[in-house]
Amino acid sequence: MTDTAHVRLRTPTVADGQALWQMAVDSATLDVNAPYAYLLWCRDFASTSVVAEFDGPPHKLGGFVTGYRRPDQPQTLMVWQVAVNAAHRGAGLAGRMLDHLATAQVAQGVTHLETSITPDNDASRRLFGAFARRWDASLKCSELFGADLFAESHLAEELFRIGPLRVHQRHQ
Ligand SMILES: CC(C)(COP(=O)(O)OP(=O)(O)OC[C@H]1O[C@@H](n2cnc3c(N)ncnc32)[C@H](O)[C@@H]1OP(=O)(O)O)[C@@H](O)C(=O)NCCC(=O)NCCS
């Protein structure tokens, strides 16, 4: 199993943009956006995103979380995509990235985390379920975008809303 002790969690830069895009492609699960979208994300939403970098050289990325604070509800951090390279899964890396990001954002006024998950994504459902338990926060599930809203065949996206989040509540 991956030794996540040698992982540095940090804010992405535009130089990471294409590695994020490649991880999204390789995930075979995520909706892959244009390479340009990941560059823009790394420029404009870097402070609400995180990458996991393994000690090098070479300094290789093992995963990322992208998120943003909702413009009309800035106390809510919306997690857009989470990916961990297949070789590093199951070692708690995604959970660590989420904790890292949430800790920084809660210190800046975030009280809730949201994400959307399709009903078939067990790993992601467990990831956010475990996050809610570690933070002693409640998790509410509701429909975000029904399948009928997508132009192509796509499962419904369910909204997971977790909170309130308080740093001192977090379990290890
Ligand atoms: C979802 C994903 C990011 C999880 O990354 P990870 O580093 O392996 O996750 P963690 O090790 O932190 O595990 C988190 C939880 O998910 C569970 N889990 C991990 N892989 C799993 C799998 N394949 N099936 C079911 N549960 C799984 C873990 O057991 C853990 O739950 P627990 O604490 O209740 O035991 C990773 O599987 C991935 O990149 N998948 C493809 C992209 C994707 O689906 N992203 C999420 C949608 S935005």
Side-chain angles (χ1 to χ4, degrees), residues 27 29-30 80-84 88-95 121-124 126-127 130 133:
S27 76
T29 309
L30 294 175
W80 178 45
Q81 290 193 316
V82 184
V84 168
H88 305 306
R89 288 185 192 159
L93 191 52
N121 195 334
D122 281 344
S124 191
R126 289 191 53 169
L127 170 66
R133 286 193 299 278

Side-chain angles (χ1 to χ4, degrees), residues 95-119:
R96 271 186 63 195
M97 290 192 291
L98 283 181
D99 286 347
H100 178 87
L101 184 58
T103 300
Q105 288 297 309
V106 167
Q108 292 175 48
V110 161
T111 60
H112 288 77
L113 180 149
E114 289 184 351
T115 197
S116 84
I117 307 179
T118 50

Side-chain angles (χ1 to χ4, degrees), residues 2-137:
T2 298
D3 180 4
T4 60
H6 300 287
V7 173
R8 187 166 73 98
L9 303 183
R10 64 165 173 82
T11 300
T13 71
V14 291
D16 299 313
Q18 298 315 277
L20 267 59
W21 172 78
Q22 190 63 56
M23 282 190 269
V25 171
D26 293 343
S27 76
T29 309
L30 294 175
D31 286 346
V32 180
N33 297 272
Y36 181 74
Y38 294 90
L39 285 171
L40 266 188
W41 209 274
C42 290
R43 189 191 76 154
D44 291 341
F45 300 101
S47 67
T48 46
S49 303
V50 59
V51 293
E53 183 175 67
F54 283 85
D55 283 352
H59 296 288
K60 271 200 83 158
L61 296 190
F64 72 85
V65 177
T66 48
Y68 63 91
R69 286 172 77 157
R70 290 182 56 188
D72 60 348
Q73 205 179 105
Q75 290 177 318
T76 298
L77 172 71
M78 177 71 187
V79 171
W80 178 45
Q81 290 193 316
V82 184
V84 168
N85 286 342
H88 305 306
R89 288 185 192 159
L93 191 52
R96 271 186 63 195
M97 290 192 291
L98 283 181
D99 286 347
H100 178 87
L101 184 58
T103 300
Q105 288 297 309
V106 167
Q108 292 175 48
V110 161
T111 60
H112 288 77
L113 180 149
E114 289 184 351
T115 197
S116 84
I117 307 179
T118 50
D120 62 341
N121 195 334
D122 281 344
S124 191
R125 299 173 91 83
R126 289 191 53 169
L127 170 66
F128 285 95
F131 174 85
R133 286 193 299 278
R134 277 197 308 282
W135 284 74
D136 258 346

Side-chain angles (χ1 to χ4, degrees), residues 131-145:
F131 174 85
R133 286 193 299 278
R134 277 197 308 282
W135 284 74
D136 258 346
S138 71
L139 189 164
K140 294 197 177 93
C141 208
S142 57
E143 185 172 272
L144 178 63
F145 301 131

